[in-house]
Amino acid sequence: MSRITIAQLEAFHWTATLGTVERAAKRLNLAQPTVSLRLKGLEEAIGKPLFDRSGRSVRLTPVGRELMPEAHGVLLSIERIAQHGEVGDVAGPIRIGVAEGFAMVCLSQILERLQTNYPRLQPELIVATSMTLETELHKTNLDLGILVSPTAAPGFTLVPFGAQATGWIAGSGWDLPQIVRPADLADRPVIANPPNTASYRQTIAWFGAAELTPSRLVICSSVAMQAHIIDTGAAAGIYPVKMAESAAEAGRVRILATDPPIQDVPVCAKYAEGQPNPAVGAVLESVREVLRTMNYMRPLPSD
């Protein structure tokens, strides 16, 4: 394998982030052919294409999607070295929004890692649905969001961590078949987060696949309360599978096998466009370390 350079990884990162070689060249203050040559060299070194090219726009291949978080991590490390960012040097407040379902599983471990590696950092947390957090992020009320199924927006960078497994959860006392289909739940009480959230979209799409709608749908703004209600047997709903594992082991709920299956959802960091500042970089690094330790994320699905 040919030697991979930092310059190639920078060209790859910014082309993937901004969507075109032209924008990446402008961001890096380079000629467009130079960026193209660096991308070609990286693809030759890896031995596989990283982009599907259609006109001026580019889209990551499955191999490119797998490389993206690794490349971003390398660039963050280089940035810390350049700023002499030894452990503990990053200090001050940082406003972080965390999607509630993800927070229920991972946030305590992420905070523990931050406190160990960056004791002078002062996280200010907002835990809510991704829809609410994105609104706050776009208003510049947050420095960083860790979001489920976020939307691309001009002026913001998305960094994928992987895919979070979600599924239908119901009380263990419910009389349901081994494989649950939309008709089995259409007349049962179902609970979901508000419209435009990932939970709501997944719920409506699942019933819609059978041309059905849930007749007893309850809307709840809190994922934690949604899980509690399901735990009591009062409704069924879709939320992160990892959240349900302890209740399933205790016999209170059942993680349903369904037809059609529920697709995994992407989890990404989102922040204002540009190289992340040291505080944002510290959080991104800590999230990656925790997710790697927990083996929590699945690979992002291919298009």
Side-chain angles (χ1 to χ4, degrees), residues 169-174 189 191 224-237 239 247-248 251-254:
I169 317 295
S172 57
W174 283 34
I191 188 167
M225 183 53 66
Q226 176 193 22
H228 173 71
I229 290 170
I230 293 168
D231 200 317
T232 67
Y239 63 86
R252 297 193 305 272
V253 303
R254 176 180 156 198

Side-chain angles (χ1 to χ4, degrees), residues 100 104 129 191-194 219-229:
E100 189 177 4
M104 293 286 291
T129 64
I191 188 167
N193 295 143
I219 299 298
C220 178
S221 63
S222 167
V223 177
M225 183 53 66
Q226 176 193 22
H228 173 71
I229 290 170

Side-chain angles (χ1 to χ4, degrees), residues 1 58 80 118 122 159 204 242 262 269 293 295:
M1 178 184 289
V58 295
R80 287 197 305 275
Y118 304 97
Q122 302 166 16
V159 178
I204 297 304
K242 197 75 174 177
I262 299 298
T293 300
N295 195 26

Side-chain angles (χ1 to χ4, degrees), residues 242-267:
K242 197 75 174 177
M243 276 182 63
E245 286 183 352
S246 61
E249 290 171 1
R252 297 193 305 272
V253 303
R254 176 180 156 198
I255 301 170
L256 305 180
T258 63
D259 179 23
I262 299 298
Q263 299 299 313
D264 298 341
V265 291
V267 175

